[in-house]
Amino acid sequence: MGLLESIRGPRDLDALSKDQLVQLAAEIRTFLVSEVSRTGGHLGPNLGVVELTLAIHRTFDSPHDAVVFDTGHQSYVHKLLTGRQDFEKLRERGGLAGYPQRSESPHDIVESSHASSSLSWADGISRAFEMTGQLDRSVVAVVGDGALTGGMTWEALNNISDDNTRRLIIVVNDNGRSYAPTIGGMARFLNTVRTRPAYKDLYLTSRRMFDRLGGPGRALYRGVRGGTHGFLSRFSNNEALYSNLDIKYIGPVDGHDVNAMLEALEQAKSYGAPVIVHAITQKGKGYAPAVDDEADQFHAVGKIDPITGEPISSSSGQSWTGVFSDSLVSLAEQDEKIVGVTAAMLRPTGLHKFAERFPNRVHDVGIAEQHAATSAAGLAFGGLHPVVAIYATFINRAFDQVLMDIALHKAGVTFVLDRAGVTGPDGPSHHGIWDLAILQLVPGIRLAAPRDAERLQEELAEAVAVDDAPTVLRFPKGNVLPTIPALRRTADNVDVLYESAKPDVLIVTVGPMAEIGLDVARRLEAQGIGATVIDPRWVVPVPTSVIELARTHRLVISIEDGIRVGGIGTRIRQDLRSAGVDTAVDELGLPDSFIAHATREQIMSDAGLTGQQIARDVVAQVLGSRIPVARPVPSDEDREPAEHRSGGEQA
């Protein structure tokens, strides 16, 4: 039996020699490559924090001491050391989550995996420990150098440094990357520290000198090495400006030298005040295919060959991200006002092609969605049209800026939200299900949801042509659906996808939910119930033809892959009432809950969003046995010819 199998909790590390810790680190890397290559997941980040995590759990006593991971995708090693070594169903329903999860272990504290929040958590936890007399408990925050680009980190540091009596250790996992290489002034500073040849020589010389003095000399060495200047003043070289931010700094330390990490963390633990331990690591450490991958060093992978790192099977078809990426480049070639903005996600959002074609027209602001939004407002004021590409789950962080900086000032800014709707195995913090409900509150905003690649291209072109309001284009994770042609398009650009002779049920679909809407219509037709399926294309504001079509139908069903509370269906119902239309509306969508990791298909089925489930309920509503009940069948003289129901066709 190897060492890893003997670890059932962090205190099992206490009995291991330093040589055994090195052996355990090697076993963990072998385990991660073997298991994650089979299931998919965040491989590169976890290979980079093996020794760092070992040293934390050897030095501190979790869960008595609180360990908080910023962007918890780097927590696989933490899971292994806290008794969770069954990775058979990693990121699958019934298996381990890909991020910390309180229901799995008392060692997991922060489940949210949005970057730059760990220091605020650590600030609050350490203050609570101090205020309640729990003075023997430490708090350790593990934060990547990429997360240091987020403004929330600096807000937390400002407060942490104001009170230097708490047992708070900040471990900076500095690998020079978030998804891609970290950008900005902080990154440039850390890079100079990371690569400075004089540091290693000075470190070795000073250590040998103080070692000759025995125990007192080594203690003095630790104090000198910690330094007297705060971390912020070190990076800024402006002691006067940051003199009040006095956080002890230890490092830089080789994050792959477990003994060096143990020494640094012991120093930090014994200091009794906030300390930054600066660890230099390599993403993908120990696995050549990851280290050699220039794109993101295997930040997240699907199923791969563990020997070569090559994908075992490549999905056919083009991704939504790929369609957007190519479309934006094409539009930018025609309009020099278009510029790209992203928040440390150049490649994941598809902006890398734009950057390759127009390197001076893309701005990566780091993990700073709030700054991205307001900076975009400034770009618009200056005569440009910024396209801000981020994941849908991260637009939540910039709501105030969208509302007050962009919409209030009628700025022409386009947001492109990738991974909208249910994302599946990454769990509750990564589902993009809140954007429709949140953003439709913004006055003047226009929201589009393409159903296929052709509509994405159309709607993106329409979005960047709007210069007096924010526009939003959202699409899901994965590959685009086959093209769904429209039977016709109304005068206000609503696509009619299916139309029966009898106007019983109007099915309003949002984006890729058109596929389910068509399935429902065919099932209803087989039951003798007529249906009309429409794709509004632009779901906010609600097009007039949607109101008019609803007026002539007995029941309206809206289908969206966002939360149904305050969703597009709710907006349609309110607009119908304002227009004096009393047709009942059944708003179908996702529950207002935090949805655990599972496949997209499992989650949609749980929410009742399948053609079979929806059709069954609609039949009951038409028959009057389920609320909301469809209106009675109109008499022949009241029935309007089908050709007059569309609100007018586009010329």
Side-chain angles (χ1 to χ4, degrees), residues 334-416:
Q334 304 167 42
D335 185 353
E336 63 182 14
K337 293 193 304 180
I338 294 175
V339 294
V341 180
T342 192
M345 305 191 78
L346 195 70
R347 184 170 292 274
T349 61
L351 275 185
H352 62 291
K353 289 187 178 180
F354 188 102
E356 291 165 3
R357 178 69 178 84
F358 304 105
N360 296 322
R361 291 166 61 182
V362 172
H363 308 282
D364 186 344
V365 302
I367 302 177
E369 291 83 4
Q370 293 167 295
H371 170 65
T374 302
S375 176
L379 289 167
F381 177 78
L384 300 171
H385 190 105
V387 176
V388 183
I390 56 178
Y391 283 2
T393 184
F394 298 135
I395 193 64
N396 310 347
R397 312 183 81 173
F399 175 75
D400 183 67
Q401 288 69 32
V402 173
L403 180 68
M404 291 297 174
D405 293 324
I406 295 176
L408 178 62
H409 296 88
K410 295 181 171 57
V413 176
T414 295
F415 287 90
V416 174

Side-chain angles (χ1 to χ4, degrees), residues 150-319:
M152 194 172 174
T153 296
W154 300 100
E155 296 173 26
L157 279 170
N158 181 57
N159 282 272
I160 289 169
S161 63
D162 188 51
D163 180 355
N164 286 332
T165 62
R166 289 172 285 134
R167 302 169 64 88
L168 196 166
I169 295 87
I170 301 165
V171 180
V172 177
N173 172 32
D174 179 9
N175 58 27
R177 306 178 73 90
S178 48
Y179 281 84
T182 307
I183 61 93
M186 168 57 80
R188 285 193 295 273
F189 164 74
L190 291 178
N191 191 54
T192 63
V193 175
R194 192 184 305 114
T195 59
R196 191 177 298 148
Y199 168 74
K200 184 176 181 181
D201 294 338
L202 178 62
Y203 165 73
L204 293 175
T205 301
S206 61
R207 179 167 185 170
R208 283 193 295 266
M209 180 182 70
F210 284 109
D211 275 350
R212 294 194 189 102
L213 302 179
R218 283 190 289 272
L220 179 60
Y221 160 77
R222 288 193 294 268
V224 171
R225 187 180 176 208
T228 58
H229 299 297
F231 177 71
L232 299 179
S233 61
R234 287 173 66 101
F235 98 76
S236 68
N237 293 320
N238 191 335
E239 186 175 355
L241 179 62
Y242 291 112
S243 59
N244 66 314
L245 296 179
D246 185 20
I247 303 178
K248 186 177 247 347
Y249 173 90
I250 298 176
V253 184
D254 181 354
H256 299 303
D257 182 338
V258 68
N259 294 324
M261 284 301 305
L262 286 169
E263 180 182 345
L265 290 172
E266 285 290 351
Q267 292 175 38
K269 181 180 180 180
S270 64
Y271 185 62
V275 180
I276 288 176
V277 177
H278 181 187
I280 309 296
T281 65
Q282 181 183 49
K283 200 171 182 179
K285 173 73 173 178
Y287 185 45
V291 173
D292 295 339
D293 179 50
E294 294 184 5
D296 63 4
Q297 293 184 317
F298 283 23
H299 179 86
V301 296
K303 297 179 181 180
I304 60 173
D305 183 311
I307 304 300
T308 66
E310 294 295 323
I312 289 178
S313 61
S314 57
S315 57
S316 59
Q318 190 175 19
S319 68

